[in-house]
């Protein structure tokens, strides 16, 4: 497995994974922008893309993981954990945040398994399904 910064040649493959998971390509602009701004990590092997992580630093000037997606055919193999480990090493800020819906049990387990702790919740984004905020510090801090 290789984890590296995504480049423009990866954009279509990233969008394809996202589209298979959410059922539309509505985030293609966001994905393309993240790749161009070097805020997208991918995990692949022998030219096959398995997943990606996108982050930004607009959340109170802290690193915020806004998307972490693994191709459904490759889930539950530690790939999300590998991407989280990498961002914990290279984060542009000491504090790293992310979030998931309260109903997303698999993502909550991934965060807990990787040392993230609950940091709060936001109501009223998805009716009846609060967004849980998670936090961890960059490795070595």
């Amino acid at each position: 497995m290789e984890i590296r910064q995504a480049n423009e040649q990866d954009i279509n493959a990233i969008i394809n994974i996202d589209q298979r998971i959410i059922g539309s390509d509505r985030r293609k602009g966001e994905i393309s922008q993240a790749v161009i701004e070097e805020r997208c990590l991918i995990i692949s092997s022998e030219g096959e893309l398995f997943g990606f992580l996108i982050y930004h630093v607009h959340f109170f000037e802290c690193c915020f993981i806004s998307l972490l997606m693994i191709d459904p055919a490759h889930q539950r193999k530690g790939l999300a954990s590998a991407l989280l480990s990498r961002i914990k090493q290279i984060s542009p800020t000491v504090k790293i945040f992310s979030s998931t819906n309260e109903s997303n049990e698999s993502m909550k387990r991934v965060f807990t398994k990787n040392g993230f702790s609950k940091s709060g919740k936001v109501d009223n984004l998805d009716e009846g399904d609060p967004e849980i905020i998670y936090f961890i510090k960059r490795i070595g801090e």
Side-chain angles (χ1 to χ4, degrees):
M1 287 296 155
E2 174 190 26
I3 297 176
R4 64 172 172 80
Q5 190 73 45
N7 61 49
E8 290 187 35
Q9 290 75 32
D10 301 313
I11 291 174
N12 287 335
I14 296 167
I15 291 168
N16 286 338
I17 288 175
D18 191 56
Q19 186 173 4
R20 280 196 305 275
I21 294 170
I22 69 165
S24 80
D25 66 354
R26 66 181 163 84
R27 296 194 288 217
K28 65 183 177 183
E30 175 185 352
I31 290 168
S32 297
Q33 191 66 33
V35 171
I36 290 165
E37 294 176 359
E38 299 182 345
R39 299 182 291 103
C40 180
L41 301 175
I42 61 168
I43 188 163
S44 63
S45 180
E46 299 177 12
E48 183 180 357
L49 182 67
F50 299 128
F52 66 95
L53 179 153
I54 290 177
Y55 65 93
H56 61 74
V57 292
H58 304 301
F59 185 75
F60 300 97
E61 298 181 3
C62 293
C63 181
F64 187 91
I65 301 163
S66 58
L67 283 175
L68 175 56
M69 307 292 264
I70 303 297
D71 186 301
H74 299 284
Q75 291 177 353
R76 291 177 177 63
K77 297 178 181 177
L79 303 179
S81 293
L83 284 165
L84 288 173
S85 291
R86 179 61 60 91
I87 196 66
K88 289 188 289 185
Q89 296 168 350
I90 67 164
S91 172
T93 67
V94 171
K95 294 179 180 181
I96 304 167
F97 291 88
S98 193
S99 69
T100 193
N101 286 95
E102 188 172 58
S103 64
N104 190 340
E105 294 298 330
S106 62
M107 197 63 220
K108 288 168 30 180
R109 281 191 301 274
V110 169
F111 283 134
T112 301
K113 176 183 174 187
N114 285 280
F116 283 74
S117 58
K118 289 182 182 177
S119 187
K121 78 174 187 172
V122 177
D123 291 316
N124 303 308
L125 291 174
D126 293 324
E127 193 65 37
D129 195 6
E131 193 78 6
I132 307 299
I133 309 295
Y134 286 87
F135 165 78
I136 197 166
K137 287 188 176 181
R138 181 176 56 207
I139 292 174
E141 304 296 334

